[in-house]
Amino acid sequence: MLASSHSAHRLPPFAQREAMLLAPYAMHGMRSAGRRHPEPEHGYRGPFQRDRDRILHSSAFRRLSGKMQVFTGDHGDYHRTRLTHTMEVASVARTVGRALLLNEDLIEALALLHDLGHPPFGHAGEDTLAACLAGEGGFSHNTFALTLVEELELRYPDFPGLNLCEETLAGQRFRVDKSPPQVAAEQPLLEVQVVEAADSLTYDGHDLDDAVKLGLVHIAELDECELLRELKRRIRRAHAGLNEAMTRKALVRGLIDLQVTELIDFVRPRLVERGFRSASEARHSDFQIGLPADLREQKSELERFLYRRVYRHDDLMHVRRQAQGRIERLFSTFLARPELLDPLARDRMAVVGPRRAVGEHLAMMTDRFCDQQYALLVDRSRG
Ligand code: MG
């Protein structure tokens, strides 16, 4: 137990802080199941704070800046990248976590980790790699994030990977096989659920913003969605005659604010009422963090709209086809000529087999590096 067996002044600084700030149902660092390779406690950083720092300093994290979220570099420089998406998720998730007295360090670690395994060119890249590796497990960005932090990031002399805490890894594992909540015997930690909710409400907001800014959708067309119609009405009431650009910004801000506020207002009283005495007790209950049913329905309507009007837009389908072609060609090129791979990727072949090693090598690339490799190794060899 956290406070009962230690007097407060003998607790490590992070544990004192957590004892003051976190609810009993939060995942306290003192109760972590620890790391696969045991390490001494840090003088002033808690275990999840260290995980957050390890992820932030990883090579994979830096490469997120060169990976697309929905729009590529060809679309200009206004829109989100995989890195800025990740930072927005972390920000929203920490806001929610703080309001619910959950562990913000764990939440931030999970948020920074959640998209680490994305290949170049977003879901087009992922689908292509999944097809290239069909028959041997396919490819999932959620699983690959685990491969990166458990095996491929080489930063410590004593172990491969980042040696993250069990709770951090379990949070990412949940993303891999999200069992339907009704069936799951054990819920993911509340911190994991907060990051899931934050991811979804973040991309709805920013994809809408990017799509309108880039002219894929006109702001008048957003009235198709009940939620956006209502938000626009509120904006007009508060600021008559606002121009389109400011309306778009107010709309996106309103969309995020409304969802975050509703989420907290809906969840907090229920969480207090249940009175869980530990994170483990909350996990073994049926309690789930989510939006109220009416807002969930409005959010689904918005997501169907985004799917139809943005994600399947001709501009993006073109990017998708181009990315698929490039990744397929690079995959077969590297497979036929492994001497083109760097020594680390060649060593990896002996561990996971040639196809998986080539897939991993491609998955780690940024969009631009993938384009450069294609121009250098495929386009040139054709001409
Ligand atoms: Mg995400």
Side-chain angles (χ1 to χ4, degrees):
M1 294 301 286
L2 183 65
S4 58
S5 58
H6 301 78
S7 63
H9 68 276
R10 283 164 59 200
L11 288 173
F14 79 87
Q16 282 181 37
R17 184 184 155 84
E18 288 185 353
M20 280 191 293
L21 296 176
L22 306 190
Y25 51 73
M27 182 63 225
H28 290 248
M30 288 281 282
R31 296 188 189 131
S32 168
R35 306 174 191 278
R36 183 170 180 187
H37 306 276
E39 293 181 56
E41 228 168 62
H42 192 271
Y44 46 88
R45 288 183 304 156
F48 303 129
Q49 192 182 355
R50 290 172 88 184
D51 281 6
R52 189 270 321 273
D53 296 344
R54 287 175 185 202
I55 296 162
L56 181 75
H57 289 284
S58 68
S59 317
F61 185 79
R62 286 194 299 281
R63 287 194 300 266
L64 291 175
S65 70
K67 298 194 183 213
M68 64 175 268
Q69 179 70 19
V70 173
F71 302 97
T72 67
D74 295 342
H75 288 100
D77 56 10
Y78 175 83
H79 58 269
R80 275 69 176 176
T81 63
R82 195 62 63 180
L83 178 66
T84 60
H85 160 73
T86 296
M87 301 312 289
E88 288 186 36
V89 173
S91 163
V92 167
R94 286 185 56 190
T95 297
V96 175
R98 191 179 298 186
L100 300 178
L101 308 182
L102 292 170
N103 194 322
E104 274 182 66
D105 289 336
L106 175 57
I107 283 177
E108 194 176 7
L110 291 166
L112 299 192
L113 170 61
H114 90 281
D115 268 352
L116 209 65
H118 254 291
F121 301 111
H123 292 282
E126 177 166 39
D127 294 346
T128 312
L129 286 177
C132 292
L133 294 169
E136 42 188 285
F139 179 88
S140 135
H141 75 273
N142 286 321
T143 308
F144 190 55
L146 288 165
T147 308
L148 282 165
V149 299
E150 292 186 293
E151 297 175 60
L152 294 176
E153 283 286 335
L154 301 173
R155 314 193 68 79
Y156 299 91
D158 296 332
F159 45 76
L162 306 181
N163 201 29
L164 300 177
C165 293
E166 172 54 28
E167 294 75 15
T168 310
L169 294 171
Q172 182 64 23
R173 266 183 235 126
F174 161 74
R175 292 180 63 83
V176 174
D177 46 33
K178 289 180 192 161
S179 13
Q182 312 89 291
V183 185
E186 203 175 67
Q187 308 279 347
L189 286 170
L190 297 171
E191 283 82 357
V192 176
Q193 297 186 45
V194 165
V195 175
E196 287 298 302
D199 185 24
S200 163
L201 76 86
T202 302
Y203 62 64
D204 286 349
H206 66 51
D207 291 350
L208 182 77
D209 184 36
D210 291 348
V212 175
K213 166 75 178 173
L214 289 169
L216 271 65
V217 181
H218 192 269
I219 200 152
E221 297 174 287
L222 305 183
D223 289 348
E224 276 184 42
C225 300
E226 189 188 354
L227 184 56
L228 301 180
R229 208 160 52 233
E230 172 54 27
L231 283 167
K232 273 170 77 179
R233 210 176 295 136
R234 287 188 204 176
I235 293 164
R236 259 186 253 117
R237 259 203 312 269
H239 310 278
L242 208 58
N243 69 26
E244 268 181 22
M246 288 305 284
T247 304
R248 185 190 81 242
K249 290 171 193 176
L251 189 61
V252 173
R253 191 165 56 242
L255 185 62
I256 295 172
D257 188 55
L258 175 100
Q259 293 183 84
V260 170
T261 307
E262 291 259 336
L263 182 67
I264 292 168
D265 288 351
F266 183 64
V267 170
R268 190 163 46 185
R270 283 167 179 76
L271 201 47
V272 170
E273 193 191 332
R274 294 292 288 262
F276 298 122
R277 282 160 304 172
S278 68
S280 167
E281 205 178 304
R283 289 194 71 174
H284 292 91
S285 77
D286 59 355
F287 188 84
Q288 281 177 26
I289 289 182
L291 293 167
D294 54 340
L295 185 56
R296 236 174 22 232
E297 181 41 48
Q298 291 177 334
K299 190 172 181 304
S300 304
E301 186 193 34
L302 167 61
E303 285 171 355
R304 288 193 296 273
F305 175 83
L306 286 170
Y307 186 83
R308 219 170 46 241
R309 299 298 311 276
V310 180
Y311 308 137
R312 298 284 129 184
H313 192 280
D314 281 350
D315 283 11
L316 296 186
M317 296 311 281
H318 168 73
V319 169
R320 192 181 169 84
R321 281 188 296 274
Q322 191 178 54
Q324 267 168 345
R326 289 183 178 184
I327 291 173
E328 274 165 14
R329 290 297 303 274
L330 278 172
F331 186 88
S332 51
T333 302
F334 282 124
L335 206 55
R337 298 176 58 198
E339 70 276 12
L340 296 173
L341 293 165
D342 59 48
L344 273 176
R346 278 203 301 276
D347 288 350
R348 187 74 179 155
M349 285 185 157
V351 182
V352 291
R355 296 183 76 84
R356 174 69 53 188
V358 168
E360 290 178 349
H361 180 66
L362 281 163
M364 285 191 276
M365 292 181 182
T366 59
D367 301 349
R368 192 171 61 171
F369 186 64
C370 183
D371 281 344
Q372 284 170 347
Q373 289 283 285
Y374 180 81
L376 185 73
L377 304 175
V378 180
D379 240 8
R380 179 180 289 185
S381 64
R382 258 200 311 197

